[in-house]
Amino acid sequence: MSSSMRSMAREDSLGRGHGNVGAYRIGTQGWSYPAWVGPFYPPERQGEDLLSVYAEAFDSVEVNSTFYATPDGARVASWKERTPAGFRFAVKLPGEITHERRLRDCGPTLRTFLLRVELLEEKLGPILVQLPPDFTVHSRAALERFIPTLPADFSFAVEFRSAGWFAPDVLRFLEDYGIDRTISVGPWRDTATALELLPTAGTALTYVRWMGEVRHRYGMRRVEARRDAELDAWADALRDAVSAGRVVWAFFNNDWQGHSPASARALQRRLGMSPVDPAALAMQRDLF
């Protein structure tokens, strides 16, 4: 695929040019959790490919597994094949780059990763550069060397967990290279602070992650923490982001409220979308 074709595909994958409802990509962080069978995945479908079942309920997902290792080409191709045309993947940059090498001396690893995820073609959404909490502004030189190496025909969003990065000059530096910022909620940042930071996320897209306290990351419970007021506030803020011309990418972790698919559906309802009831996933699709 040529550079110009990749750029056109990337613009399509980011949702530019669509109406307001189409400007929202709401989902969860990951899809392959056995504990989701019952509360979300119908028990009778657990023997099926869970990604395909997930894609009946949501049109996007954040891939966590790429943080731990660069996937092989066959796996990436299978993700593309197992999802419908409108589906999109946000993928996390390998931790070898962000946490082990801390953005230094990572050119070959970065190139290999991009060649693999590029196999998603039009289904590739933003690439998340999640930096650790101890990656502070004292590491700014490493960031300033790394950012210019990112190819312009991919979309990147950087997640800073250290508060010192949210300064106007840092935002200007990222904007100069077409890089957006991810706003995350967790032990390092409460909802009120995250909402204040949201308007500084960037110009092309708004990428939000809800993490919460780490208690049962790979399980799933009923909705344990009622966060209705917070979701109302987030919906208002995300509508404003879309009105400003951004595309919203938003992904929930179980730990934020206990039940990430339910949280994602609750946000969808507030944004005027039509969530898929998990009960509908149990319906027989074919008569023969």
Side-chain angles (χ1 to χ4, degrees), residues 114-252:
L114 294 178
L115 285 171
R116 297 286 171 76
V117 299
E118 190 176 38
L119 295 173
L120 288 169
E121 298 182 320
E122 76 282 355
K123 291 186 178 181
L124 177 60
I127 297 172
L128 172 65
V129 184
Q130 178 192 306
L131 297 173
D134 64 349
F135 193 93
T136 68
V137 290
H138 296 297
S139 299
R140 181 162 178 169
L143 180 79
E144 291 182 343
R145 285 193 297 268
F146 175 76
I147 291 297
T149 70
L150 299 178
D153 51 355
F154 291 84
S155 174
F156 294 90
V158 181
E159 179 183 341
F160 297 114
R161 295 191 175 182
S162 174
W165 289 105
F166 289 87
D169 61 326
V170 175
L171 177 60
R172 286 193 297 271
F173 168 73
L174 294 176
E175 286 184 339
D176 286 344
Y177 288 94
I179 308 296
D180 295 284
R181 287 197 288 200
T182 300
I183 306 297
S184 59
V185 178
W188 52 89
R189 186 174 302 115
D190 62 22
T191 292
T193 302
L195 285 167
E196 289 179 4
L197 293 172
L198 194 68
T200 73
T203 57
L205 59 89
T206 292
Y207 193 140
V208 185
R209 310 178 74 232
W210 291 274
M211 304 296 292
E213 299 292 337
V214 177
R215 293 170 295 150
H216 42 73
R217 178 171 296 173
Y218 300 108
M220 184 159 67
R221 309 289 191 270
R222 59 182 173 81
V223 174
E224 295 180 347
R226 300 306 310 185
R227 298 182 181 273
D228 293 345
E230 292 177 62
L231 283 174
D232 289 342
W234 277 110
D236 289 341
L238 297 179
R239 277 191 292 268
D240 289 343
V242 168
S243 295
R246 301 180 195 167
V247 178
V248 167
W249 297 76
F251 300 103
F252 290 87

Side-chain angles (χ1 to χ4, degrees), residues 31-53:
W31 70 83
S32 184
Y33 303 118
W36 288 21
V37 176
F40 178 61
Y41 294 124
E44 66 270 23
R45 300 195 69 180
Q46 63 183 310
E48 300 182 35
D49 167 37
L50 292 182
L51 175 57
S52 297
V53 181

Side-chain angles (χ1 to χ4, degrees), residues 80-93:
K80 183 175 186 292
E81 294 168 359
R82 289 149 52 196
T83 50
F87 197 85
R88 299 293 183 263
F89 294 87
V91 296
K92 191 182 293 187
L93 205 65

